[in-house]
Amino acid sequence: NAGVTQTPKFQVLKTGQSMTLQCAQDMNHEYMSWYRQDPGMGLRLIHYSVGAGITDQGEVPNGYNVSRSTTEDFPLRLLSAAPSQTSVYFCASSYGRPEVNEQFFGPGTRLTVL
Amino acid sequence: GENVEQHPSTLSVQEGDSAVIKCTYSDSASNYFPWYKQELGKRPQLIIDIRSNVGEKKDQRIAVTLNKTAKHFSLHITETQPEDSAVYFCAAGGVAGGGADGLTFGKGTHLIIQP
């Protein structure tokens, strides 16, 4: 089991560029989510999915899109990158809802927007 | 939605002493309270969790207590060791409807173990 994997590990973008952060899990987890982590701010939920074909917004969804075409993959798209999106992004998954089941985090993607 | 406050933001203790980190939450509907440890440059990892039907849970040197009436929960680490140095996050979840689903995290406590 690879667990939760994320690519790339590091990325530098210019303002206005778009990109997709990849997340995959091989644990057959139904629930997947994306968080961003900023210094002194903890982890804030961006988007989440309770299963293939179902996504919903979290606390800070603006500027990000997600889709869930398969159980395994949950990509996060930045449509037009802004310096305010400089952050460390973590993908997480759990067998069911994270308030009932342990959430497993990926290794993170460190994104810098210039 | 849920709001989680965590204190202190930085905690320095001597090796072998105990450390206590405290969190408060706002929504009485929350019923799941995990604690995560994050070492520098690494991913958060669950170290212990507690559900609202119990008041205390222990796992070796780590314990968590929950006071639902006061809406606060605490992490206790005894006999601290250098490898306990990390950032610790509390979280609260289980809110049905209203605000974002999933977990709401505190802002973290940087625990420093002094040799």
Side-chain angles (χ1 to χ4, degrees), chain A residues 31 35 37 40 42-43 45 48 90 97-100 102-103 105-107, chain B residues 32 36 38 42-44 46 51 89 93-94 100-103 105-107:
Chain A
Y31 192 102
Y35 293 89
Q37 184 175 31
L43 291 149
L45 184 65
Y48 66 96
F90 287 99
R97 301 183 70 83
E99 56 265 35
V100 180
E102 178 180 355
Q103 230 177 359
F105 284 85
Chain B
Y32 176 60
Y36 286 84
Q38 186 178 29
K42 301 288 183 65
R43 72 191 78 188
L46 181 72
R51 301 187 189 277
F89 292 96
D101 279 335
L103 298 175
F105 285 81
K107 293 184 178 181

Side-chain angles (χ1 to χ4, degrees), chain A residues 13-62:
Chain A
L13 293 177
K14 294 181 179 179
T15 297
Q17 287 185 314
S18 62
M19 79 158 295
T20 299
L21 308 185
Q22 301 292 344
C23 174
Q25 51 88 15
D26 61 358
M27 298 176 281
N28 202 30
H29 284 172
E30 289 295 322
Y31 192 102
M32 296 185 75
S33 54
W34 277 102
Y35 293 89
R36 61 177 289 173
Q37 184 175 31
D38 303 295
M41 293 295 293
L43 291 149
R44 292 184 290 170
L45 184 65
I46 304 171
H47 285 285
Y48 66 96
S49 169
V50 300
I54 306 169
T55 64
D56 208 344
Q57 296 181 349
E59 180 186 355
V60 288
N62 292 341

Side-chain angles (χ1 to χ4, degrees), chain B:
Chain B
E2 176 65 276
N3 182 51
V4 176
E5 299 284 339
Q6 183 172 347
H7 299 281
S9 56
T10 303
L11 178 60
S12 181
V13 301
Q14 290 293 123
E15 182 178 349
D17 287 350
S18 295
V20 181
I21 302 170
K22 299 181 179 181
C23 288
T24 61
Y25 61 100
S26 61
D27 197 313
S28 57
S30 288
N31 56 16
Y32 176 60
F33 307 93
W35 286 88
Y36 286 84
K37 176 183 180 181
Q38 186 178 29
E39 297 176 351
L40 187 63
K42 301 288 183 65
R43 72 191 78 188
Q45 291 193 303
L46 181 72
I47 55 171
I48 196 167
D49 56 17
I50 193 167
R51 301 187 189 277
S52 59
N53 58 343
V54 298
E56 184 176 3
K57 183 177 179 180
K58 288 183 180 180
D59 183 2
Q60 299 182 347
R61 297 186 297 108
I62 294 173
V64 57
T65 58
L66 171 65
N67 183 327
K68 284 216 74 179
T69 302
K71 291 191 279 191
H72 66 70
F73 56 111
S74 301
L75 177 71
H76 304 254
I77 305 174
T78 59
E79 301 173 9
T80 54
Q81 300 170 4
E83 54 264 35
D84 294 329
S85 292
V87 178
Y88 292 80
F89 292 96
C90 64
V95 179
D101 279 335
L103 298 175
T104 300
F105 285 81
K107 293 184 178 181
T109 295
H110 185 193
L111 177 61
I112 301 166
I113 307 301
Q114 302 279 6

